[in-house]
Amino acid sequence: MNWNSIKFDWNHIRSFLATAEEGSLSAAAKVLGLTQPTLSRQIYALEAELKLMLFERVGQRLVLTESGVELLQHARSMGAEALKFSLAATGQSQQLEGTVTLSVSELTATYVLPKILSTIRELEPGIRIEVVVTNNASDLKKREADIAIRSFYPKQNDLIAKKIGEEVIWLYGTAEYLQAFSEVSQLSELTDIQLIGFDDSNTVIDILNQQGWALNQKNFSLLTSFQPLQVELCKQGQGLVFMPEDMGNREPNLVKAFADMGATMTLDVWLVSHQELRTSLRVRRVFDLIAQHYSNAVI
């Protein structure tokens, strides 16, 4: 490599890429953990090093110049390679110390994770666990998490997954709420039922109607993606909520709805990690402990 041909600070490329991706100096400074003046100086320094203007200000926004657009793809490639380097370096770590980031859903975090984390902390006190609670799939390739517990198998080839269980999903409600439907003999008769939904899409409606329900959006008049709120609304008699059986059965104020009619579905539970991180001793240890103790934690 001709080292003399590289006439810029590589760290300034990181600042350029973050600013281009985030759309403003303030947002980029926040994600990089820098002050805005520091970030501005790095951008100006890069422009001076390259003898090019990369951004121009349009109102309150920063807009890439033609040169900036041209160089952005190269910066993205450099960022991707830097991320691969970081993943590989993390994978070489053979110490049972340091941080492992775990991504889980809200219900898993509430009902399952405390027991698992207690076990990990007892067996490996040197490992620091950071928990990302989200119902969205954290991007493991972008290092949003080291390990994830998911209800679907990953599509990316460079992720590894291990099936650690199954979740039987039921609808739950209060006995008082369900009393009004005690004479119903088939799901299609539940035209006045209220279900607490995640969003205003028709996905859940379509799935349930294929099972014999006759629902529309009027049956979903309360919507929230925050699952603990769904459970609390259900306890208040505002409708039924979807919950894994092992979690719903722990709620003394809730009962399964229409169990005799087969109103249920089953999802596999997968433990997922990036294959390079799997070579890290501390990540592998946490991965194996979760796999080993998951079934006990959900009981």
Side-chain angles (χ1 to χ4, degrees):
M1 177 180 286
N2 182 3
W3 297 106
N4 293 326
S5 66
I6 301 174
K7 301 184 182 299
F8 57 84
D9 186 328
W10 289 18
N11 195 50
H12 295 169
I13 298 295
R14 177 171 170 262
S15 297
F16 163 65
L17 178 58
T19 303
E21 297 283 6
E22 298 297 325
S24 71
L25 287 170
S26 59
K30 184 176 181 180
V31 298
L32 293 178
L34 301 173
T35 65
Q36 189 168 326
T38 297
L39 182 63
S40 296
R41 285 195 296 271
Q42 292 186 359
I43 296 295
Y44 292 143
L46 180 62
E47 291 179 326
E49 291 160 352
L50 299 177
K51 298 180 173 57
L52 292 170
M53 183 176 287
L54 302 174
F55 294 100
E56 59 182 351
R57 187 172 292 279
V58 178
Q60 298 298 314
R61 298 183 301 114
L62 282 181
V63 178
L64 285 165
T65 63
E66 229 176 279
S67 298
V69 171
E70 192 102 6
L71 293 174
L72 179 59
Q73 189 55 49
H74 297 289
R76 283 175 173 156
S77 298
M78 291 176 68
E81 292 303 316
L83 184 57
K84 289 180 183 178
F85 183 90
S86 178
L87 283 166
T90 303
Q92 296 302 312
S93 172
Q94 295 302 305
Q95 292 186 341
L96 281 174
E97 295 181 349
T99 301
V100 175
T101 304
L102 176 62
S103 174
V104 297
S105 71
E106 291 162 354
L107 289 185
T108 299
T110 303
Y111 290 91
V112 178
L113 204 57
K115 190 181 289 188
I116 291 176
L117 292 183
S118 296
T119 300
I120 294 173
R121 293 291 298 144
E122 180 181 350
L123 296 175
E124 300 296 347
I127 297 178
R128 180 173 179 263
I129 305 293
E130 180 180 341
V131 181
V132 177
V133 180
T134 175
N135 292 329
N136 298 320
S138 295
D139 193 332
L140 302 188
K141 295 176 67 175
K142 291 185 178 179
R143 297 299 300 275
E144 292 178 356
D146 298 323
I147 300 171
I149 299 176
R150 295 176 174 173
S151 58
F152 61 91
Y153 188 83
K155 295 180 180 179
Q156 298 95 324
N157 293 330
D158 49 358
L159 297 181
I160 58 172
K162 180 176 183 178
K163 183 179 174 181
I164 58 174
E166 292 182 345
E167 286 183 339
V168 181
I169 310 296
W170 291 89
L171 280 165
Y172 284 82
T174 63
E176 293 79 8
Y177 183 82
L178 289 168
Q179 180 61 37
F181 305 96
S182 59
E183 302 300 321
V184 170
S185 60
Q186 53 187 7
L187 297 174
S188 59
E189 297 174 8
L190 296 167
T191 54
D192 295 328
I193 200 82
Q194 281 295 310
L195 280 67
I196 301 168
F198 288 87
D199 53 42
D200 60 0
S201 71
N202 288 324
T203 303
V204 173
I205 294 174
D206 293 341
I207 291 173
L208 293 178
N209 286 349
Q210 289 172 11
Q211 297 177 359
W213 296 72
L215 303 175
N216 55 53
Q217 289 197 345
K218 292 181 179 179
N219 300 107
F220 291 81
S221 59
L222 269 175
L223 304 172
T224 174
S225 62
F226 185 52
Q227 290 176 303
L229 176 57
Q230 291 181 348
V231 175
E232 292 305 314
L233 288 170
C234 181
K235 291 178 183 178
Q236 294 295 320
Q238 295 301 308
L240 306 184
V241 66
F242 292 97
M243 291 187 74
E245 182 178 45
D246 52 78
M247 302 178 194
N249 287 351
R250 297 188 199 181
E251 291 290 345
N253 298 321
L254 300 181
V255 296
K256 285 180 186 175
F258 316 116
D260 56 337
M261 300 184 205
T264 184
M265 63 184 83
T266 302
L267 300 175
D268 293 334
V269 181
W270 297 93
L271 192 60
V272 186
S273 179
H274 196 286
Q275 61 183 359
E276 290 180 351
L277 286 176
R278 255 322 235 132
T279 63
S280 165
L281 189 59
R282 67 175 181 271
V283 175
R284 184 168 69 247
R285 179 64 169 153
V286 172
F287 188 101
D288 290 342
L289 285 173
I290 294 173
Q292 180 183 348
H293 294 281
Y294 180 85
S295 59
N296 293 330
V298 299
I299 295 174

